[in-house]
Amino acid sequence: MCRIRSEPGTIWGVPTSPLPRSLSRRAAFRLTAGAVLTTVGLVTTTACSSGEDVAATVDTLSTHLRLARRDAAAAGALIAVLPADADSLTVVQTERTAHADALQTEIDRVAGGPQETSTTVSTTTAAPAPPPTLDELKTYLSESQRGAADASRNESGYRAGLLGSISAACAVESTVVLA
């Protein structure tokens, strides 16, 4: 059996560096001031950039929210006009509504709470606009697909995945589901 002698200033025979037993007032002040300045710098940097980032993110997501609602409404309007395509139009309407819900949830999370969505109520009694054609809906979906793909490149993490998923779904809806 090997026996290690422990001497003062060693642990298991390995020399240790002596730690100062006391900290001078000047050293304590320097240490505290450095920690405070570092904290203030980090908080200031975070506070300044987060407001602009949140606003930009909310704007981007709101744009895609409006497109999702537009596409869902267009698909819903076409169901009554094209009953033979009701199954595929229902798929588009359901998926785009789910996209709108996911986008609204992310907007609320990023903004720190539920956001009010503006709805414009028209008091005029003008005739309602005719529903779009099937080709117009495909064009809407293609626009939504390209917009979400472009926006996903500028995002990271969950938002990039969400927008990428929306882009892929719109591509499938316009080229496969409505083909």
Side-chain angles (χ1 to χ4, degrees):
M1 176 181 233
C2 179
R3 195 165 255 240
I4 299 176
R5 249 187 293 164
S6 184
E7 298 175 9
T10 64
I11 298 177
W12 297 95
V14 177
T16 60
S17 63
L19 294 175
R21 295 194 179 254
S22 65
L23 194 60
S24 70
R25 282 189 211 171
R26 184 174 289 168
F29 179 72
R30 286 181 187 156
L31 185 64
T32 304
V36 168
L37 289 176
T38 302
T39 303
V40 168
L42 288 173
V43 169
T44 303
T45 302
T46 303
C48 290
S49 64
S50 67
E52 293 171 3
D53 292 344
V54 167
T57 299
V58 169
D59 286 346
T60 299
L61 295 175
S62 295
T63 298
H64 295 288
L65 174 63
R66 284 190 297 277
L67 293 174
R69 287 182 177 159
R70 175 200 66 185
D71 298 348
L78 279 173
I79 290 172
V81 177
L82 302 170
D85 296 324
D87 291 341
S88 58
L89 290 168
T90 301
V91 168
V92 172
Q93 182 184 27
T94 303
E95 286 184 359
R96 293 303 281 153
T97 300
H99 294 161
D101 294 343
L103 287 163
Q104 185 64 57
T105 300
E106 182 62 8
I107 289 169
D108 293 346
R109 188 192 69 76
V110 168
Q115 299 296 301
E116 292 184 25
T117 56
S118 63
T119 55
T120 306
V121 178
S122 177
T123 57
T124 61
T125 57
T133 65
L134 191 59
D135 288 333
E136 288 173 332
L137 177 59
K138 289 179 183 180
T139 301
Y140 290 168
L141 291 168
S142 294
E143 290 171 3
S144 296
Q145 183 265 324
R146 281 190 306 276
D150 291 342
S152 70
R153 290 184 192 106
N154 299 324
E155 296 293 336
S156 63
Y158 175 77
R159 286 187 297 277
L162 175 62
L163 291 169
S165 176
I166 289 172
S167 175
C170 289
V172 168
E173 291 165 0
S174 66
T175 58
V176 177
V177 174
L178 296 178

